[in-house]
Amino acid sequence: MTSPIPYDLWYWSGIPGRGEFVRLPLEAAGIAYRDRAREEGDEAVLRHLERMGAYPAFAVPLLEAEGLAIAQTANILLWLGERHGLAPADTAGRLWAHQLQLTVADVVAEAHATHHPIAASLYYADQKLEAERAAACFRNERIAAFLDYFERAAGSGGWLVGEHWTYADTSLFQLVEGLRYAFPQRMAALGGRWPKVAAIARRVASLPRLQEYLASGRRLAFNEQGIFRHYPELDGP
Amino acid sequence: MTSPIPYDLWYWSGIPGRGEFVRLPLEAAGIAYRDRAREEGDEAVLRHLERMGAYPAFAVPLLEAEGLAIAQTANILLWLGERHGLAPADTAGRLWAHQLQLTVADVVAEAHATHHPIAASLYYADQKLEAERAAACFRNERIAAFLDYFERAAGSGGWLVGEHWTYADTSLFQLVEGLRYAFPQRMAALGGRWPKVAAIARRVASLPRLQEYLASGRRLAFNEQGIFRHYPELDGP
């Protein structure tokens, strides 16, 4: 990566979280970026959000380049997709990739709500019983509903959209990885139910630049501060 | 509306829900559409979703025209914005309007979760105690966090973005209406905290075509089947 660094990514330094959905296509396409909180700490993120002027962000991830400051994960990916050909350029394909991304975002929000069903601002310990109820419903109904959908939506070219990987594929990969981390028993029990989804996840992990990234220190491990958390009491077959 | 009808909107017939975020800019711009479930019933929606081929939708709202089938509320609005000038055409303005829409969508999802914190598939009565806890956090923390943000984000031209109304404004209007319906005590207690947001909501309601629409039978009232529900036990000052 000897090209000039055009992008500044602002996201919390200790979790993959929603930031990882931005990092993955940047890494897969070899697009250079500075991961600001990993250089300067999370306090720098808070200061930056407070300082923003005309186009403030409600939350991170936030991606900046050339005077633009774009927030909301799906919006960032829409922008990257258009600028770098990480999604089809025609209207139908561009909106289809975005639709899939927004549906991934819905699963991500529901996955987070399994361990924080009452409020994101409360500790897990203060909503653990509610989390056990919520996680059971998510495990038993929602995982299959969503992954059945992505299996149906997957294209015939080995990817979600068209003949090449798009940001929708890197997002589906991260979603599947997250679900496997958080709900290993349930995902094992569902086994080979989604062959196309599983193949896309394997293909994403095999992209040359992603192989290198996933083995690097830049790739953050899932942990119990993030969206996908492994609490054994929330998993089950 | 004597022009040919280009759009088919698929959304549940009995609630404003997410469909209303699509109806409002269509109505405000005088764009003709058929509201299919209101003509044919909700069963037609289910049949249509099952029959979809290469670009299936996970859920409604779904908007179709000219061979395209676009789902996810924010994605539909992105498309309408581009086709009909309901958002700026330049990259910065287009993405900014979309970012605001996605943030409205986040509030909408959290508002729904106040009465269904455990699972959307369970009855309210089966998660009422959890809902009371969740709603208290939403009322006391999240409403102000989000509306403070929109107040900060509002432009100087009397709208969220630029000098004309965009789909972000019609969405902010619907959000404020929904919050006032669901949490009247809390919204009254917060009073005049967001003058710009309140002014935008008033301006949207005063758009000539929307005045006519809001007084018509096409406008569905909020009710206790939808996203914004008024349960007195979930409100408070």
Side-chain angles (χ1 to χ4, degrees):
Chain A
M1 296 197 191
T2 53
S3 58
I5 294 181
Y7 289 110
D8 282 292
L9 173 65
W10 298 88
Y11 194 71
W12 312 118
S13 62
I15 58 170
R18 289 181 171 84
E20 196 66 12
F21 293 93
V22 178
R23 285 191 200 98
L24 283 169
L26 289 171
E27 294 279 354
I31 299 165
Y33 63 101
R34 290 177 63 191
D35 208 332
R36 295 293 296 267
R38 298 191 74 183
E39 296 181 9
E40 302 160 49
D42 286 348
E43 282 296 321
V45 177
L46 293 169
R47 281 196 306 273
H48 189 68
L49 284 174
E50 281 167 18
R51 270 198 316 253
M52 293 183 80
Y55 300 90
F58 182 76
V60 289
L62 168 69
L63 194 69
E64 298 182 334
E66 299 170 9
L68 289 181
I70 311 296
Q72 285 280 358
T73 309
N75 200 37
I76 294 169
L77 294 173
L78 181 72
W79 185 39
L80 290 175
E82 293 176 2
R83 287 194 75 181
H84 299 284
L86 307 184
D90 66 290
T91 298
R94 185 171 56 93
L95 294 172
W96 175 234
H98 196 52
Q99 180 173 323
L100 293 168
Q101 175 61 42
L102 289 166
T103 308
V104 168
D106 287 343
V107 199
V108 167
E110 290 195 22
H112 184 271
T114 61
H115 49 78
H116 278 72
I118 302 301
S121 61
L122 297 178
Y123 290 114
Y124 171 61
D126 294 330
Q127 49 194 315
K128 191 163 170 290
L129 292 178
E130 294 92 337
E132 289 178 18
R133 282 190 78 195
C137 295
F138 182 78
R139 279 200 319 272
N140 295 331
E141 299 164 17
R142 301 301 281 172
I143 290 177
F146 279 114
L147 292 185
D148 285 356
Y149 170 73
F150 289 113
E151 185 74 12
R152 177 182 174 198
S156 56
W159 302 103
L160 279 174
V161 182
E163 305 294 320
H164 305 282
W165 72 266
T166 66
Y167 65 73
D169 297 298
T170 51
S171 290
L172 183 63
F173 160 78
Q174 182 67 4
L175 173 64
V176 169
E177 288 286 297
L179 291 172
R180 286 176 179 156
Y181 174 81
F183 305 103
Q185 285 192 59
R186 182 59 179 157
M187 290 297 281
L190 291 166
R193 179 162 168 164
W194 309 290
K196 287 184 178 178
V197 168
I200 289 169
R202 279 195 304 274
R203 251 174 236 124
V204 168
S206 303
L207 292 171
R209 287 196 185 92
L210 274 195
Q211 282 191 325
E212 188 260 318
Y213 168 67
L214 295 172
S216 77
R218 298 195 301 286
R219 170 75 168 178
L220 288 161
F222 293 108
N223 60 56
E224 280 56 66
Q225 308 301 315
I227 291 166
F228 296 104
R229 304 188 186 186
H230 180 56
Y231 294 127
E233 63 273 21
L234 302 189
D235 192 18
Chain B
M1 294 198 194
T2 54
S3 59
I5 293 180
Y7 289 109
D8 282 293
L9 173 64
W10 298 88
Y11 194 72
W12 312 118
S13 62
I15 58 170
R18 288 180 171 84
E20 196 65 12
F21 293 93
V22 179
R23 285 191 200 98
L24 284 169
L26 289 170
E27 294 279 355
I31 299 165
Y33 64 99
R34 289 178 62 192
D35 208 332
R36 295 293 296 267
R38 298 191 74 181
E39 296 181 9
E40 301 160 50
D42 286 348
E43 281 297 320
V45 177
L46 293 170
R47 282 196 304 275
H48 189 68
L49 284 174
E50 281 167 17
R51 271 198 315 255
M52 292 184 81
Y55 300 89
F58 182 77
V60 290
L62 168 69
L63 194 69
E64 298 182 336
E66 299 171 8
L68 289 181
I70 311 297
Q72 285 281 358
T73 310
N75 201 35
I76 294 169
L77 294 174
L78 181 71
W79 186 39
L80 290 176
E82 294 176 0
R83 288 194 73 179
H84 300 283
L86 309 183
D90 66 290
T91 298
R94 186 171 55 92
L95 295 173
W96 175 234
H98 197 51
Q99 180 174 323
L100 293 168
Q101 175 60 43
L102 289 166
T103 307
V104 168
D106 287 343
V107 199
V108 167
E110 289 195 23
H112 184 271
T114 59
H115 49 78
H116 278 74
I118 302 301
S121 61
L122 297 177
Y123 290 113
Y124 171 61
D126 293 330
Q127 50 194 315
K128 190 164 171 292
L129 291 178
E130 295 91 339
E132 290 178 18
R133 282 191 77 197
C137 294
F138 181 78
R139 278 199 320 273
N140 296 331
E141 300 165 17
R142 303 299 282 172
I143 290 177
F146 279 114
L147 292 185
D148 285 356
Y149 171 73
F150 289 113
E151 185 74 13
R152 177 182 174 198
S156 55
W159 302 102
L160 279 174
V161 182
E163 304 295 319
H164 305 282
W165 73 267
T166 66
Y167 65 73
D169 295 299
T170 52
S171 291
L172 183 63
F173 160 78
Q174 182 67 5
L175 174 65
V176 169
E177 289 286 297
L179 291 173
R180 286 176 179 157
Y181 175 81
F183 306 103
Q185 284 192 61
R186 182 59 179 155
M187 290 298 281
L190 290 167
R193 180 162 168 164
W194 309 288
K196 287 185 178 178
V197 168
I200 290 169
R202 279 195 306 272
R203 253 174 234 124
V204 168
S206 303
L207 292 171
R209 287 196 184 93
L210 274 195
Q211 281 191 326
E212 188 261 316
Y213 167 68
L214 295 172
S216 77
R218 298 195 302 285
R219 171 73 169 180
L220 289 161
F222 292 108
N223 60 57
E224 281 57 66
Q225 308 300 315
I227 291 166
F228 296 104
R229 305 187 186 186
H230 179 56
Y231 294 128
E233 63 273 22
L234 302 189
D235 191 19

